[in-house]
Amino acid sequence: MAVTFVALLCIVSCALHAIAVSIDCSVAPLSLPWSNITVSPNGLAVTRGIELGIGTPNQIFSLRPSTTLNNTRVPNVLDCGTQSNTSCVGGKGGVFDSSKSSTFVVSLKNRWNGSAADTEAATGAYVYFNDVIDFQANGTVLGYPLVLNSDLVSGPEAGLPLGQNSSFLAAVTQARVAPSSVWGLDAGDRSLSPRDGKLVVGGYDASRLRENLTTFPLGTWSNKQPCPLQVSVKEVLYEAIDGDVYGLLPPTSGSVTGCIEPQQQRFTFLPSMVQRFAALSGYNNSYPGLTFPTELRPPGALQITLDNGYRTLIPNDHLFTPQRGSDQNGQYVVTNASILETGIAYNVDDADADVQLILGGLYLTYNYLVVDYDKNQFQMAPTVQGDQGSSANITTVCEPSNSMRDPEISRPDTSDADGTSRAAAIGGGTVGGVVGLAVAAALCYILLRKRRRGRQRADQQKQAQQGQSPRAHHEVYSDERRPSELALVRR
């Protein structure tokens, strides 16, 4: 009991000390590949996203970045029935089974240590909890705030939160897993010549910039949805089947406000723009949603120009691609090589006034993002295309004078017995005062103790099955289980 009390006092001391600690610019930026991740225990379901290990032992997730979320939402295993339902698990990017994590701690919503709650769907069910997250060799955060999301009507909204009040950015920064909350994003390429992307927290990858960065102010949040990365779209041009170039924007609209959002892949244009594109491309509505027979491939490319003259060209081979989707194992593959689908959502039944123009992942294939919420700005530059291998040039963005956005996040030294693990614990965004810090420290201590015991039990059971003697836990993941994204053709 005395040892427990002393340990708790030590953690409280660390939490109190953290109040006065500034951002540590000596910490290297956190680099997280955006790639194919195996998310099912049987190894069949593969989803493209950013990998997180959640719980003890880790349950693997592949999450797509989202600027509309401030908290990390993960789908409930009950939405798929079991983790053996690979097509469902793969389609959701992983599912969480709370009964299988020894460090799962549920919380009351108003006492939870995440950011301001995101919008909840009327048909959704939400459980607020804390658990351990791992970034492979890049560090561990204890007491991390998460939301277990279930929605059998419209589907759960899962994603890695990169919004202005992101609890993810606050956690990795203040736990010193990353030097600052500035983030750089290379979305990679999801075409038939795929290329992995990368999220860098605390900096950006300068090797991906083809030109100098152009600066934009953050949005005013006056749109129909949260949209920090707003741009003013001046012109959208398309080369039609007659060889002429036509504008898609409504003639009387002037510039249209658009949102840059990596969570979705396709463009969302105003319905009147989609109708015009359909007519110019020779679309036959006997085919579903802007799809074409391969032998009737439309010509032309898409050119998008912003008010400040920033221009992006989407070439024909990326605008029109073979029809793809999730197969029976949840893997993203070519499902019908005889049909071409368009990188534009088909929404002609909606009204222009009800639709927000969105520049999604296809736009970001050609544009690198650097976002700095503290300076109320983001930047873009044309992305270097092609795979550069190991030639990354990770550049730190950090100002030592900046104080932590949330000073009540603690960072006790929680290295494993063998000294191989780098871990930090979170006290929480809404915890207040010394009492709050004590509660938070207690939570961190419980998570630490449960995590170590859970790992030791799992290790001992595994070694017993293999005829080995128990030893100190040492967990290593190999990058070999990250397959390259392949464009498979199923006939």
Side-chain angles (χ1 to χ4, degrees), residues 248 266-269 274 277 289-290 302 319 342-346 362:
L248 299 183
R266 294 184 180 185
F267 291 100
T268 296
F269 288 158
V274 178
F277 176 85
L290 279 184
L302 199 66
L319 185 58
T342 309
I344 301 173
Y346 191 62
L362 180 53

Side-chain angles (χ1 to χ4, degrees), residues 428-480:
T430 58
V431 183
V434 176
V435 174
L437 284 168
V439 173
L443 171 63
C444 293
Y445 175 76
I446 292 170
L447 286 171
L448 277 168
R449 186 178 61 179
K450 291 176 71 176
R451 178 175 171 79
R452 287 183 177 177
R453 289 181 176 178
R455 280 184 165 180
Q456 289 170 356
R457 284 196 298 269
D459 224 21
Q460 290 170 1
Q461 290 172 359
K462 180 178 179 180
Q463 291 162 2
Q465 293 172 355
Q466 297 174 347
Q468 300 174 359
S469 59
R471 55 183 175 85
H473 177 81
H474 181 79
E475 188 171 15
V476 177
Y477 289 109
S478 170
D479 285 341
E480 292 178 358

Side-chain angles (χ1 to χ4, degrees), residues 276-296:
R276 186 163 174 77
F277 176 85
L280 294 171
S281 62
Y283 170 63
N284 183 337
N285 60 13
S286 63
Y287 288 88
L290 279 184
T291 59
F292 302 83
T294 302
E295 64 271 15
L296 297 179

Side-chain angles (χ1 to χ4, degrees), residues 287 292-296 322-323 334-341 489-491:
Y287 288 88
F292 302 83
T294 302
E295 64 271 15
L296 297 179
Q323 190 173 68
V334 174
T335 55
N336 190 343
S338 66
I339 295 293
L340 297 174
E341 58 185 2
V489 178
R490 308 188 72 87
R491 300 186 184 276

Side-chain angles (χ1 to χ4, degrees), residues 351-480:
D352 280 9
D354 297 330
V355 173
Q356 173 65 61
L357 191 151
I358 297 176
L359 309 178
L362 180 53
Y363 183 78
L364 292 176
T365 293
Y366 295 93
N367 294 289
Y368 192 94
L369 268 178
V370 179
V371 180
D372 190 338
Y373 289 131
D374 289 336
K375 289 186 176 180
N376 292 310
Q377 70 178 35
F378 68 97
Q379 297 172 294
M380 283 197 301
T383 303
V384 174
Q385 298 301 307
D387 190 359
Q388 292 186 295
S390 60
S391 61
N393 179 13
I394 305 300
T395 302
T396 300
V397 179
C398 183
E399 296 183 7
S401 60
N402 287 350
S403 60
M404 291 183 179
R405 187 183 310 171
D406 177 355
E408 294 165 4
I409 288 183
S410 60
R411 182 181 176 263
D413 182 4
T414 58
S415 298
D416 285 343
D418 60 3
T420 61
S421 175
R422 180 164 64 103
I426 301 179
T430 58
V431 183
V434 176
V435 174
L437 284 168
V439 173
L443 171 63
C444 293
Y445 175 76
I446 292 170
L447 286 171
L448 277 168
R449 186 178 61 179
K450 291 176 71 176
R451 178 175 171 79
R452 287 183 177 177
R453 289 181 176 178
R455 280 184 165 180
Q456 289 170 356
R457 284 196 298 269
D459 224 21
Q460 290 170 1
Q461 290 172 359
K462 180 178 179 180
Q463 291 162 2
Q465 293 172 355
Q466 297 174 347
Q468 300 174 359
S469 59
R471 55 183 175 85
H473 177 81
H474 181 79
E475 188 171 15
V476 177
Y477 289 109
S478 170
D479 285 341
E480 292 178 358

